[in-house]
Amino acid sequence: MGRYFGTDGIRGVANLELTCELAMNAARAAASFFKNNNAPLFIGRDTRISGTMLESAFVAGALSVGKNVFSAGIIPTPAVSFLTRELACSFGVVISASHNPVGDNGIKLFSGDGYKLPDSSELLIEGMINSGWNGLPVETGVGNLQLFDSAPRRYVEHVKKSVNCDLSGLKIAIDCACGAGFDVAPKILRDLGAQVLAINTEPDGARINVKCGSTDMAALAGLTVENECHLGIALDGDADRCLMVDEKGNKIDGDQILALLALYMKELELAGSGKLVVTVMSNLGLELAMREHGIELLRTSVGDRYVIEKMRECGALVGGEQSGHIILQSFNTTGDGPLTAAFVASVLKKNGGKFSELARIFTPLPQVLLNVKASRKKDFTEDRFITAKIAEYEKSFDGKGRILVRPSGTEPLIRVMVEGENDEKINSAARTLASLIEERLN
């Protein structure tokens, strides 16, 4: 696979690129990296069919170097982040490929404080993966596995306590993407008093993210409108992302959710609420709106862990991505779909009115995002034809638009984002760049 770690852990086609051998050696490397902490590691997974196989391999690798393991089974990524910290574990692991297709899988690592590892730590672990692993312990030197059945309940109680709001009177639709949030996410909302209509709650292993959840919100929009729900919620496969629809079925993306929560936290005058951390993908309209409300907007590279690093550095309370990773740093240390959903629902309940009006905080500038297949995605910065065409379009926008071209950290794609005031102009630029990339990088 070349370099193992991408923007969100190790990813690849399960049993082809991400093999049991790689998972086992990654576990040995991670356990050795955290060897000075004798506490167990905490591991969970999403629902995809290869999850049991790869979790078993990772657990075996950790046990083989003497590391004890707490296993929660199927559980959202944010629950692993929270419980790793809550239980004072040495590190946390999630076997998941998030929003990727069912054939993919991944390994995400969290430090003992619940934060994703920085690049420097991943590089050190990566350097240890192919170490050979001679002299492994025997007899009572190997680790012990303990099933942690109370994990879902503890996470549910944490989210409910964090939100602390009665949602009675709200009717909420939720699409769980046949993923890790299939049980806990609807339960949180019901326990808080909402009437909940949940779909795609079958953890059958083969349907995760398939025409459902945050990657395909058509069914959710229909359910929300047909049942006159106040809002609809869409999770991704590991429930660290959350997108929404209003009562009319219109999509509410991560930028709009971030704006709503940033203003809400500022109204409460909470520490760190005067700053909002987003990535380079967030709409320019969000930046202009936050400026009007006296909130400083800071941008990072794409990836929720870069957002979190900047939030920790500047003390921001709210941050996240347009794609739906929303971080509320006082309550969790990673993107948390169920927590975000419950908080937005609480804001709607406290403010009253319609969600379509509450979420209309800014007018997004027209934005086009195209995913272009590129087998040689890392070569685009060295292709003078592509870079020249990008520069030509940027000059033509005269400061009233943006172009962002970047390789995906998890898939063989290059993402082309063009933003500006004129729909026709940005669509033309995006299509031209996509064609050029497809032609030259395959």
Side-chain angles (χ1 to χ4, degrees), residues 311-366:
M311 292 175 70
R312 297 178 74 184
E313 177 187 312
C314 72
L317 174 59
V318 182
E321 297 187 280
Q322 189 182 59
S323 59
H325 284 124
I326 311 294
I327 303 104
L328 300 171
Q329 191 171 200
S330 293
F331 306 101
N332 209 345
T333 51
T334 192
D336 192 327
L339 178 72
T340 300
F343 255 112
V344 170
S346 74
V347 177
L348 178 59
K349 175 67 184 293
K350 291 172 184 176
N351 283 268
K354 296 182 178 179
F355 190 41
S356 57
E357 297 170 355
L358 181 66
R360 195 184 300 135
I361 294 169
F362 71 96
T363 301
L365 288 181

Side-chain angles (χ1 to χ4, degrees), residues 47-292:
T47 57
R48 65 192 70 222
I49 195 166
S50 61
T52 305
M53 174 185 75
L54 291 170
E55 180 189 26
S56 299
F58 194 98
V59 168
L63 299 177
S64 75
V65 292
K67 193 69 172 175
N68 293 330
V69 177
F70 286 160
S71 175
I74 295 173
I75 197 168
T77 287
V80 173
S81 172
F82 164 68
L83 288 166
T84 296
R85 181 177 71 256
E86 182 77 2
L87 299 171
C89 292
S90 57
F91 67 102
V93 185
V94 183
I95 306 299
S96 173
S98 191
H99 63 287
N100 279 27
V102 65
D104 291 355
N105 217 324
I107 300 170
K108 302 181 187 183
L109 299 178
F110 293 91
S111 57
D113 58 6
Y115 290 97
K116 289 183 178 177
L117 301 187
D119 289 339
S120 56
S121 295
E122 288 186 344
L123 283 170
L124 289 172
I125 292 171
E126 190 166 276
M128 301 165 67
I129 286 177
N130 298 317
S131 295
W133 306 107
N134 297 316
L136 296 174
V138 295
E139 298 181 351
T140 58
V142 300
N144 180 59
L145 171 65
Q146 179 179 338
L147 300 181
F148 209 84
D149 297 333
S150 66
R153 175 182 58 78
R154 294 179 72 146
Y155 171 67
V156 167
E157 292 305 314
H158 163 68
V159 175
K160 287 161 55 180
K161 182 179 178 181
S162 299
V163 177
N164 191 27
C165 179
D166 179 8
L167 300 182
S168 58
L170 288 186
K171 184 190 285 189
I172 301 174
I174 184 167
D175 185 338
C176 298
C178 295
F182 76 97
D183 184 30
V184 296
K187 178 173 175 53
I188 288 167
L189 297 170
R190 289 189 179 112
D191 284 359
L192 290 171
Q195 180 183 349
V196 179
L197 303 179
I199 58 173
N200 296 311
T201 57
E202 303 81 16
D204 63 7
R207 293 176 52 210
I208 185 171
N209 300 321
V210 178
K211 295 183 178 179
C212 60
S214 63
T215 57
D216 189 336
M217 298 170 64
L220 174 67
L223 180 72
T224 301
V225 173
E226 289 165 13
N227 291 277
E228 298 183 344
C229 295
H230 294 92
L231 75 159
I233 295 158
L235 303 177
D236 69 340
D238 67 333
D240 66 348
R241 295 190 188 201
C242 176
L243 297 176
M244 300 183 181
V245 296
D246 63 22
E247 76 282 356
K248 301 176 183 178
N250 299 316
K251 181 179 177 180
I252 306 296
D253 69 11
D255 282 350
Q256 294 162 302
I257 296 169
L258 285 165
L260 187 156
L261 291 175
L263 291 183
Y264 176 67
M265 299 300 177
K266 190 170 189 291
E267 287 175 7
L268 297 179
E269 299 182 345
L270 299 177
S273 60
K275 296 178 180 179
L276 175 63
V277 180
V278 300
T279 75
V280 291
M281 295 297 292
S282 280
N283 196 278
L284 186 58
L286 171 62
E287 183 172 344
L288 298 174
M290 292 299 97
R291 190 180 303 164
E292 289 179 4

